[in-house]
Amino acid sequence: MKLQGKKIIQLVSDEFEDLELWYPVLRLREEGAVVHIAGNKAGEEYIGKYGVPIVSDVSFHDIDPNEYDAILVPGGWSPDKLRRYEDILTMIRTMNEQEKPIGQICHAGWVLISAKILEGKKVTSTPGIKDDMMNAGAEWLDEPVVVDGHLVSSRRPPDLPDYMREFISVLAGK
């Protein structure tokens, strides 16, 4: 249990990519971490792209990022909704300034773009937002997982084992 005592925020809104949310949550819990599902409202059910539901534990409006060790942003269409909340962008910026692990997969890069934290960083994402990532100042690489300091990025569901291995490694080292 490499992550005993660690607390992680897993952001959520409707139309998340089911595997890109659930796989990380389960892997982190297997390693002993506490993972809080953070949605717009606490106790609200959110539905993934393929119909798998999840209920939020907390509202992201009420989260103090200083009380957490890391944050995960899921893929799917959820990031396009999440990046519209200033509370989330502030949370991402705060965790970035504190160099806490930030995990993003697939379209999740949109949230980091809106938080304006990608300038000069090496990242990956779904190829569909490659230009967005590069226009935000990032160096985009077509690899299963890219680690640049505390930022851990990945492309798509088949890359989840690589993504979580590296995210857990970065988080365990903090």
Side-chain angles (χ1 to χ4, degrees):
M1 298 250 253
K2 298 177 186 174
L3 302 179
Q4 196 71 38
K6 300 284 187 181
K7 283 176 59 178
I8 296 116
I9 300 163
Q10 171 64 72
L11 296 173
V12 67
S13 80
D14 282 322
E15 297 186 76
F16 58 88
E17 205 307 329
D18 305 59
L19 285 173
E20 294 169 357
L21 184 139
W22 274 109
Y23 185 96
V25 167
L26 296 173
R27 280 293 297 119
L28 292 167
R29 288 178 177 165
E30 284 175 347
E31 292 294 341
V34 172
V35 181
H36 289 148
I37 310 303
N40 188 35
K41 296 179 184 173
E44 185 164 307
E45 183 177 74
Y46 296 90
I47 306 296
K49 285 172 47 178
Y50 302 106
V52 179
I54 194 165
V55 176
S56 58
D57 301 307
V58 296
S59 167
F60 50 69
H61 303 292
D62 297 329
I63 286 184
D64 178 357
N66 297 303
E67 296 176 4
Y68 289 84
D69 300 294
I71 190 167
L72 287 166
V73 186
W77 303 123
S78 183
D80 189 37
K81 297 170 184 158
L82 293 170
R83 68 181 174 164
R84 300 172 194 199
Y85 293 98
E86 188 56 41
D87 288 342
I88 288 177
L89 302 180
T90 298
M91 190 183 318
I92 294 288
R93 287 185 203 111
T94 299
M95 296 191 99
N96 185 58
E97 289 164 8
Q98 296 174 4
E99 297 187 350
K100 292 180 178 179
I102 299 171
Q104 65 96 21
I105 185 167
C106 198
H107 286 84
W110 278 336
V111 176
L112 281 62
I113 290 167
S114 293
K116 299 182 181 358
I117 67 164
L118 292 181
E119 183 70 40
K121 299 295 182 182
K122 292 181 181 176
V123 295
T124 194
S125 66
T126 179
I129 66 165
K130 170 186 174 182
D131 291 345
D132 300 332
M133 302 290 272
M134 293 170 55
N135 289 336
E139 178 183 343
W140 189 88
L141 304 169
D142 188 10
E143 298 176 9
V145 64
V146 174
V147 177
D148 188 342
H150 62 284
L151 297 180
V152 182
S153 57
S154 193
R155 299 177 302 192
R156 57 182 74 94
D159 300 328
L160 281 163
D162 294 324
Y163 174 52
M164 289 316 298
R165 182 186 61 249
E166 294 301 326
F167 186 82
I168 289 167
S169 177
V170 169
L171 182 54
K174 288 285 178 185

